[in-house]
């Protein structure tokens, strides 16, 4: 992994600028996750360095993200219901989930599952990203009104009516100001934004104002740090977690494994999406499986050290690229800068109001919503719209992993329906040569078929036969009033087990009606599979390759002159 000395100043500038943007975001995501501000910084530094060195995407920056924060917050919310009086133990189990998610990601990499992202339709991915954005927004609403951030979106929504009746106006002013700066600063002052990014400006202004209003004093009350009347981050302490557990049997192992697996899947999906974005920028081919291994190693290290999960962060990568960063070493420098800045300024940053982070994350959540997809809403097929709405709804009401499985299920149903429609459309079935449409027949074959005077039917298929299509084809054949059938499957490239069973049932039912069946097959996988599943035993050697010969035998059996 040689260091790219080309445009060295651009490499360092890109790493530095992106680190300055990542610092307040890392703190915010750490708070949003429920693990604490320091967890976001640990992920940005430790996991960021490891995933950059061992990942498969040169130039991709990794660190805490909104998706990671939402996923961990949901897990901590479930654990808090089991251990309501032991928040430290809940956090410890949360760190176990982070590290275990890394183990799953490494396993995904070794199993070569990195390419599976290509099989997810855009509607499912868009729905998942938009759901994460909406969850991030909803979870911050109580925070910007002076309340506590809650792990589950529904809890946050239920808390709003009371907060709206009696909001903390100072917190609301800080939160609203943070959101407006994030929204308007890049829009109306783009040149200044390039030199002084909005997240950094918000960090400086919010912390300075809170420090001035509280005269540099803060108190710890009701498990939160207060600077004056504002809830703030408080001291950022980097201490090694205390790993102590009760007997293994008393732990909620199913919940831990399920949460870790969900986090690994979400993290892998978003990291691979980031890798695709990075590849387009750098023009360097990425290795998706190695990327999963690198992300997994980073998350194991982050979890053990007390950090939140890390994922590929396309926004930071894009910013760094814009300033000249191109390779993995600039991502390492990026993470080191984050660590150096936070260690130098941690006492001052402790005065950062939580409401400011809430406003910042609301804008991040809005950016996460797939607005390009929504702009194309009217032109998107109905099935795509249903998939996206279902994913978003299930994520808000249930959790991200359930939403992903629902999206995959709906996508599979849509795919199967489309495959079935294509296969049925490709089916040719007729009792006269004139009714066979695009199927080309030799003069001899036409004469044989027509001479049967409707007693002989010819079926032709040239696409894979799925279970759904096989059932429909079977019904069409059984509804055909003929005494003999020639089933031409020589151009069918694949027949699955379920389709083979339907085909066997069709042959059996035709034979029960004293109807004769000839089957045309190529020598290869289809014939071998049908033979292996016992389908061909029912045909009494009526398995041929030549269609003319099959038609001739059928006509002879019907005592029809050719």
């Amino acid at each position: 992994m040689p260091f790219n000395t080309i445009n060295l100043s651009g490499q360092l500038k890109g790493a530095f600028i992106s680190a300055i943007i990542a610092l307040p975001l890392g703190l915010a995501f750490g708070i949003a996750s429920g693990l604490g501000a320091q967890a976001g910084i640990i992920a940005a530094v430790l996991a960021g360095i490891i995933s950059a060195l061992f990942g498969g995407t040169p130039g991709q920056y990794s660190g805490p993200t909104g998706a990671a924060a939402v996923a961990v917050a949901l897990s901590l919310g479930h654990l808090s219901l089991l251990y309501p009086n032991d928040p430290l133990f809940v956090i410890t189990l949360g760190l176990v989930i982070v590290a275990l998610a890394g183990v799953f990601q490494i396993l995904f990499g070794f199993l070569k599952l990195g390419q599976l992202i290509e099989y997810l339709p855009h509607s499912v991915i868009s729905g998942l990203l938009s759901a994460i954005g909406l969850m991030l927004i909803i979870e911050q609403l109580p925070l910007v009104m002076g309340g506590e951030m809650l792990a589950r979106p529904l809890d946050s929504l239920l808390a709003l009516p009371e907060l709206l009746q009696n909001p903390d106006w100072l917190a609301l002013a800080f939160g609203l100001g943070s959101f407006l700066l994030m929204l308007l600063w890049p829009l109306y002052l783009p040149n200044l934004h390039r030199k002084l990014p909005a997240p950094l400006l918000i960090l400086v202004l919010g912390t300075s104002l809170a420090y001035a209003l509280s005269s540099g004093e803060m108190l710890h009350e009701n498990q939160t740090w207060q600077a004056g009347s504002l809830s703030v981050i408080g001291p950022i302490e980097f201490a090694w977690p205390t790993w102590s557990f009760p007997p293994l049997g008393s732990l909620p192992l199913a919940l831990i494994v399920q949460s870790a697996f969900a986090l690994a899947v979400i993290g892998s999906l978003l990291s691979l999406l980031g890798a695709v974005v990075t590849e387009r920028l750098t023009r360097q081919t990425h290795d998706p499986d190695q990327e999963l291994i690198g992300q997994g190693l980073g998350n194991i290290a982050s979890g053990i050290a007390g950090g939140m999960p890390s994922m590929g962060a396309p926004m930071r990568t894009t910013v760094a690229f814009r300033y000249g960063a191109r390779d993995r070493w600039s991502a390492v420098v990026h993470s080191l800068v984050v660590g150096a800045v936070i260690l130098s300024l941690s006492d001052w940053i402790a005065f950062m109001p939580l409401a400011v982070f809430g406003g910042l994350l609301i804008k991040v959540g809005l950016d996460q919503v797939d607005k390009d997809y929504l702009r194309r809403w009217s032109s998107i097929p109905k099935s795509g719209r249903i998939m996206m709405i279902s994913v978003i709804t299930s994520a808000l009401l249930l959790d991200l992993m359930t939403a992903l499985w629902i999206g995959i299920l709906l996508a599979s149903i849509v795919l199967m329906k489309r495959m079935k429609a294509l296969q049925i459309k490709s089916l040719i079935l007729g009792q006269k040569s004139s009714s066979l449409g695009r199927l080309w027949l030799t003069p001899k074959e036409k004469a044989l078929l027509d001479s049967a005077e409707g007693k002989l039917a010819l079926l032709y298929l040239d696409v894979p036969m799925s279970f759904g299509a096989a059932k429909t084809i079977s019904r069409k054949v059984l509804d055909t009033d003929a005494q003999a059938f020639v089933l031409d499957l020589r151009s069918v490239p694949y027949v699955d087990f379920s389709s083979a069973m339907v085909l066997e049932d069709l042959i059996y039912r035709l034979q029960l009606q004293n109807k004769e069946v000839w089957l045309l097959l190529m020598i290869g996988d289809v014939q071998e599979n049908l033979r292996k599943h016992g389908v061909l035993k029912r045909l009494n050697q009526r398995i041929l390759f030549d269609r003319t010969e099959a038609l001739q035998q059928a006509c002879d059996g019907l005592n029809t002159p050719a």
Side-chain angles (χ1 to χ4, degrees), residues 2-300:
F3 184 77
N4 186 0
T5 56
I6 299 174
N7 190 21
L8 182 59
S9 62
Q11 298 264 23
L12 296 176
K13 185 177 181 182
F16 182 79
I17 296 295
S18 63
I20 295 303
I21 295 174
L23 175 60
L25 290 176
L27 293 167
F29 290 138
I31 293 169
S33 72
L35 293 175
Q38 77 287 347
I41 299 302
I42 291 170
V45 178
L46 187 58
I49 290 174
I50 292 174
S51 58
L53 291 175
F54 298 100
T57 311
Q60 168 151 269
Y61 286 41
S62 298
T65 65
V70 167
V72 172
L74 286 172
S75 298
L76 294 182
H78 292 308
L79 291 168
S80 296
L81 297 176
L82 299 176
Y83 304 99
N85 300 318
D86 197 349
L88 290 179
F89 185 60
V90 169
I91 289 177
T92 300
L93 291 182
L95 298 178
V96 171
I97 289 171
V98 174
L100 184 57
V103 174
F104 277 124
Q105 286 182 299
I106 293 174
L107 183 61
F108 295 164
F110 281 120
L111 292 176
K112 305 294 183 184
L113 300 182
Q115 299 290 345
L116 290 184
I117 187 177
E118 298 175 2
Y119 297 96
L120 278 180
H122 188 75
S123 297
V124 175
I125 295 174
S126 178
L128 195 64
L129 293 176
S130 298
I132 290 168
L134 291 174
M135 293 169 80
L136 201 57
I137 292 169
I138 292 170
E139 289 170 6
Q140 308 315 307
L141 294 177
L143 202 61
V144 299
M145 286 186 280
E148 295 181 3
M149 188 182 66
L150 302 171
R152 291 175 292 187
L154 279 180
D155 293 339
S156 299
L157 290 174
L158 292 173
L160 286 181
E162 183 179 346
L163 289 170
L164 287 170
Q165 292 177 5
N166 187 28
D168 184 327
W169 293 106
L170 184 59
L172 185 58
F174 272 83
L176 186 60
S178 170
F179 172 73
L180 291 175
L181 272 176
M182 284 287 292
L183 184 67
L184 302 177
W185 185 258
L187 189 62
Y188 291 104
L189 297 168
N191 292 330
L192 273 176
H193 175 65
R194 286 178 60 85
K195 297 176 182 177
L196 181 59
L200 178 60
L201 176 64
I202 290 168
L203 175 65
V204 172
L205 289 178
T207 305
S208 300
L209 284 172
Y211 187 89
L213 290 173
S214 64
S215 301
E217 296 181 358
M218 73 171 71
L219 297 173
H220 191 252
E221 297 178 350
N222 299 322
Q223 297 185 342
T224 61
W225 287 92
Q226 300 287 134
S229 61
L230 282 169
S231 296
V232 296
I233 294 178
I236 302 173
E237 299 176 352
F238 297 96
W240 198 261
T242 301
W243 296 99
S244 59
F245 299 99
L248 195 62
S250 64
L251 291 174
L253 295 179
L255 177 59
I256 291 172
V257 173
Q258 179 184 348
S259 299
F261 185 79
L263 181 58
V265 172
I266 300 297
S268 299
L269 173 63
L270 298 184
S271 294
L272 292 175
L273 286 174
V276 173
V277 173
T278 304
E279 183 175 296
R280 290 174 185 165
L281 293 172
T282 64
R283 308 297 181 187
Q284 298 183 66
T285 304
H286 77 280
D287 181 343
D289 299 314
Q290 185 60 42
E291 180 62 24
L292 293 182
I293 293 172
Q295 293 291 340
L297 290 171
N299 282 328
I300 290 173

Side-chain angles (χ1 to χ4, degrees), residues 433-486:
S433 60
S434 58
S435 66
L436 297 178
R438 62 183 175 85
L439 180 61
W440 183 85
L441 298 175
T442 66
K444 176 68 172 175
E445 290 170 344
K446 290 180 180 180
L448 287 167
L449 186 60
D450 292 338
S451 67
E453 299 179 345
K455 295 179 182 179
L456 172 60
L458 174 62
L459 177 145
Y460 176 80
L461 190 66
D462 59 357
V463 294
M465 186 187 293
S466 67
F467 172 70
K471 294 289 288 185
T472 302
I473 292 170
S474 176
R475 285 193 292 268
K476 285 181 177 290
V477 171
L478 291 171
D479 290 340
T480 301
D481 184 19
Q483 295 301 311
F485 293 84
V486 174

Side-chain angles (χ1 to χ4, degrees), residues 321-345:
F321 180 86
R322 192 179 300 148
Y323 286 93
R326 294 293 184 274
D327 60 25
R328 64 180 76 245
W329 288 106
S330 65
V332 173
V333 174
H334 158 94
S335 296
L336 291 173
V337 170
V338 172
V341 172
I342 196 66
L343 288 175
S344 304
L345 303 176

